[in-house]
Amino acid sequence: MLVDVQLSRDTIVTAAMEILDSYGLADMTMRRVATHLGVAPGALYWHLANKQQLIAAIADRILAPALDTTDPASPEELADRLRTALLAHRDGAELVSAALSQPDSETRGDVEKQLSDALALDDADVSRVGAAALLHLVLGATTLEQSHRQYAADTGTPAPPTGTPAEDFRRGVSYLLHGLGRG
Amino acid sequence: MLVDVQLSRDTIVTAAMEILDSYGLADMTMRRVATHLGVAPGALYWHLANKQQLIAAIADRILAPALDTTDPASPEELADRLRTALLAHRDGAELVSAALSQPDSETRGDVEKQLSDALALDDADVSRVGAAALLHLVLGATTLEQSHRQYAADTGTPAPPTGTPAEDFRRGVSYLLHGLGRG
DNA sequence: ACCTGAACACCGTTCAAGT
DNA sequence: ACCTGAACACCGTTCAAGT
């Protein structure tokens, strides 16, 4: 338990991510976060409206290393960086999917804009649909990969021999990008 | 409440889907399903090991109209039929995503095989990666579309003018398919 | 074989009351 | 302003005991 630091949105997010990485999304409950901070459950609700808001804030932190970049990346590179960022936290892909599924997610717009820019296409409509498709691909493929990893870790079995996931990921992205080039 | 029919896996699944369509996935709890059937919560566990198993069974029912077909469809048509099947039930895309994310999902293999066959490519590896990518696209795009629909229905606002979702969906699929053609 | 009753170990969220 | 205590209205799951 962290001792006696002033409670704030940021300390709550940090505590929640420690629980996430140690025990997974299912165990990242408001009550456990509160206990971890040595505080009553209700205290969290002074700083956050609800759990969805906490999840959104965590998603932003998870995505930050992939997004806060000055140089414009290629779409391949951006997709790869997103995957890496998601894999860096237990259940990261699932959590971010949940956050971006909320209809009022601002982050989703940001990510799609950055993907769209990376595509560097003339047709804005192709960019929009292509960026959305790319994001779906990244989230879907990474969620599946991560759940397989976790299952393997839980059961002690090695990962299934479907060919290396990173390579499959890049190939899926590459197929879509080729298709977009002929938009 | 259904009255006095013998409890079985099938009647439970039917009751659960009625709650799903009426109140959504968040309200589809084991306890509410039991109440709807006029039975104690524990009774369900004679017929099902746990809630995950119920969700898997519902996913199969939702997907059935898209999959149980004799004639081999084009990948465009199959993708479209999957989207339609998911949209036919409240939170259908989210529920099926959850079911197919379970590492031991048999249905996921079936769907990917059918997509892979529909692709009708020579290279088996391209088929495998392509089918997975297509499935991610279908689930991701439809989950988003459905959550936007629900949000619009809940708030009374009309859907956002992003261009018609069905058209965007077909375009996303089409881009990926073009890319696969040049695999 | 199939189901009930009752419990176990939890949830997210609210809100008066305290400091 | 910020937090506690205590409650409200729930969960999924188990399991002795009944029929």
Side-chain angles (χ1 to χ4, degrees), chain B residues 158-180:
Chain B
T162 343
T164 139
E167 200 41 54
D168 281 5
F169 176 81
R170 290 194 187 100
R171 289 175 65 194
V173 168
S174 153
Y175 296 139
L176 178 58
L177 291 175
H178 279 135
L180 289 170

Side-chain angles (χ1 to χ4, degrees), chain B residues 90-105:
Chain B
R90 164 112 87 128
D91 296 333
E94 196 185 338
L95 185 144
V96 169
S97 290
L100 301 195
S101 290
Q102 293 180 217
D104 56 341
S105 164

Side-chain angles (χ1 to χ4, degrees), chain B residues 29-31 42 45 50-51:
Chain B
T29 67
M30 296 299 269
R31 294 180 107 100
Y45 291 85
N50 48 45
K51 191 177 178 179

Side-chain angles (χ1 to χ4, degrees), chain B residues 46-67:
Chain B
W46 182 263
H47 303 274
L48 295 160
N50 48 45
K51 191 177 178 179
Q52 288 187 348
Q53 212 165 88
L54 175 59
I55 287 174
I58 296 173
D60 287 350
R61 281 242 200 126
I62 290 177
L63 290 173
L67 297 179

